Amino acid sequence: MFVDVWEWRMEIDESLVVADETEIREQVAEYTVGERKEFDLDVDYPDSFTGRVMTAMAGVPRGETRTYGEIAGELDTAAVAVGQACGRNPVPLVVPCHRIVGANGLGGFSGGDDDRLGLKERLLELESA
């Protein structure tokens, strides 16, 4: 399913979220206008390396960031592998891959159609990270 996040379109794999499309869309809309601070949606994490990275990302609180290297240290892997897994996050925003940044900058971002780093920056600004 696609959701609108300001002027960006973001794809969310709703098959991994334990909620119907209406609930997902409502929570995304509330989040983008500042009415919601966290998502109240259960996610079925894949039983894979990407799922392990998603679990680590979900543990990063709003208003904070972690580097790819910090997550890699938690998972005993390489920062590049964490970055690749972040890029495969099938439920961006709900599992906050935007909170994972490079050691010297924003890094990448898989959410949104165009200007993905602009979206990542705006999400971090919304969360005051």
Side-chain angles (χ1 to χ4, degrees):
M1 73 180 275
F2 286 90
V3 296
D4 293 322
V5 180
W6 300 298
E7 62 267 20
W8 290 272
R9 284 183 58 101
M10 181 180 290
E11 186 171 9
I12 293 176
D13 182 350
E14 73 277 8
S15 72
L16 297 176
V17 180
V18 185
D20 61 33
E21 284 190 29
T22 301
E23 180 64 22
I24 296 168
R25 289 182 195 286
E26 286 176 1
Q27 289 198 28
V28 167
E30 292 167 356
Y31 175 85
T32 59
V33 297
E35 293 174 0
R36 173 174 292 280
K37 302 298 182 195
E38 296 294 333
F39 290 95
D40 184 25
L41 299 167
D42 290 327
V43 175
D44 288 329
Y45 295 100
D47 186 22
S48 63
F49 177 72
T50 297
R52 289 178 49 222
V53 173
M54 290 171 64
T55 301
M57 289 188 290
V60 178
R62 179 187 175 95
E64 296 182 22
T65 60
R66 300 288 184 277
T67 65
Y68 299 107
E70 289 171 326
I71 299 295
E74 291 176 24
L75 301 177
D76 194 30
T77 190
V80 170
V82 169
Q84 291 170 340
C86 287
R88 291 189 300 270
N89 178 9
V91 286
L93 194 58
V94 176
V95 174
C97 51
H98 59 279
R99 296 178 188 159
I100 313 304
V101 298
N104 297 309
L106 286 178
F109 187 54
S110 63
D113 287 339
D114 297 317
D115 186 24
R116 293 175 181 187
L117 289 181
L119 175 54
K120 183 174 186 172
E121 191 169 40
R122 186 150 174 204
L123 291 168
L124 292 173
E125 287 172 2
L126 174 72
E127 296 181 349
S128 300

